[in-house]
Amino acid sequence: MSASTDDRGPDAGLRPPAGELRLVDDVPAAFAALVAAEAASASRRGDGRLRLALSGGDTARSCYERLSELAELDWGRIDCFFGDERCVAPEDAAANQQLAREALGASFRRLGAFHPMACEDPGGYAELLRSQPTLDVAHLGLGPDGHTASLFPGSSGLEAPGDAWVVRSSDPTGRNPYERVSLTLVALARFSLVVFTVAGASKREALARVLGGEDVPAARVRAGRVLWLCDREALPGEPR
Ligand code: 6PG
């Protein structure tokens, strides 16, 4: 079942502010299948490479662990970037790049390229992204407060100057630890596809706010296509 913005079906209330909500039983499996399909599609155009921006968090970890199981994936054609990073040492357990290395396991070493974000040089990372011939898929999570990447409610990253692509941004409430760097909404909009992964009852309130039209950071994301992969437990109104 999917509820796109032009869907008039029974779930017409479940409309993300942009793009399509796709209800799936297994979010990590659906994510892995989506990336495989996008990689196959990318192999038939341009330079044949898939440029994929990774996220952080527990849902992302599960998604990358599942993705790593796809032995048939042409990993050498996949170049990994990041949507955000915490300002900690690269091997720190809190680092998104460390999460990716751990979750991708043996597949990590088969990647075509791996471009971790460094807090010290947000401008340099922006230039790296701008120099890419394509920006194909950005993976995003949904935080309980409606944040995504490291764009928190009220954070400076949300109101980044005009054409900034990468900013140092932290949660002004302090609920989400660490100083961070994050892609801005302007940068995310340059991706062909942004895919949100939302799993479990703990996301129900945040997803309800997005679907209800509340102006939370995740609801502001626009791109070529926006796809919300959600499981039933995360859907508002589902029996607990
Ligand atoms: C981060 C992530 C963040 C995450 C959401 C969802 O660096 O923390 O980029 O935006 O995706 O907080 O995380 P969970 O899947 O763990 O709820």
Side-chain angles (χ1 to χ4, degrees):
M1 176 191 78
S2 69
S4 64
T5 44
D6 54 2
D7 188 334
R8 297 287 174 265
D11 55 10
L14 298 180
R15 289 186 200 156
E20 172 195 354
L21 184 149
R22 189 177 297 169
L23 186 59
V24 295
D25 293 330
D26 183 334
V27 168
F31 172 84
L34 177 77
V35 170
E38 292 297 320
S41 174
S43 70
R44 297 189 291 270
R45 63 171 185 264
D47 63 2
R49 308 192 70 77
L50 182 78
R51 293 172 179 87
L52 169 65
L54 303 179
S55 182
D58 296 337
T59 311
R61 181 184 294 274
S62 300
C63 288
Y64 305 154
E65 288 169 348
R66 184 64 65 87
L67 185 64
S68 71
E69 296 167 6
L70 300 186
E72 74 282 3
L73 211 52
D74 190 347
W75 288 92
R77 287 180 181 269
I78 298 178
D79 298 343
C80 280
F81 300 80
F82 282 84
D84 71 326
E85 184 56 281
R86 292 89 176 276
C87 298
V88 296
E91 296 75 28
D92 190 301
N96 291 343
Q97 62 176 292
Q98 181 62 18
L99 178 154
R101 279 191 287 266
E102 291 169 358
L104 289 174
S107 299
F108 167 76
R109 287 181 290 280
R110 298 173 56 198
L111 285 170
F114 184 72
H115 299 288
M117 265 184 166
C119 279
E120 297 72 22
D121 187 15
Y125 206 82
E127 286 316 305
L128 172 68
L129 288 172
R130 289 177 192 268
S131 69
Q132 300 303 315
T134 63
L135 293 172
D136 302 299
V137 179
H139 178 208
L140 294 177
L142 176 65
D145 57 359
H147 80 259
T148 194
S150 287
L151 301 174
F152 302 100
S155 72
S156 57
L158 269 182
E159 313 301 338
D163 63 350
W165 278 32
V166 182
V167 290
R168 285 186 83 133
S169 179
S170 299
D171 178 358
T173 70
R175 278 197 302 264
N176 294 276
Y178 312 108
E179 190 177 13
R180 302 170 177 228
V181 279
S182 180
L183 295 191
T184 61
L185 295 171
V186 168
L188 289 168
R190 302 299 291 266
F191 280 79
S192 300
L193 170 64
V194 163
V195 53
F196 283 94
T197 52
V198 187
S202 69
K203 297 302 171 70
R204 195 171 291 183
E205 182 184 338
L207 186 57
R209 295 172 70 187
V210 171
L211 299 178
E214 200 172 320
D215 181 24
V216 295
R220 294 192 185 183
V221 172
R222 298 296 182 274
R225 287 184 294 145
V226 178
L227 175 61
W228 292 76
L229 296 180
C230 305
D231 65 12
R232 188 167 292 282
E233 291 76 17
L235 283 190
E238 284 294 309
R240 285 188 180 274

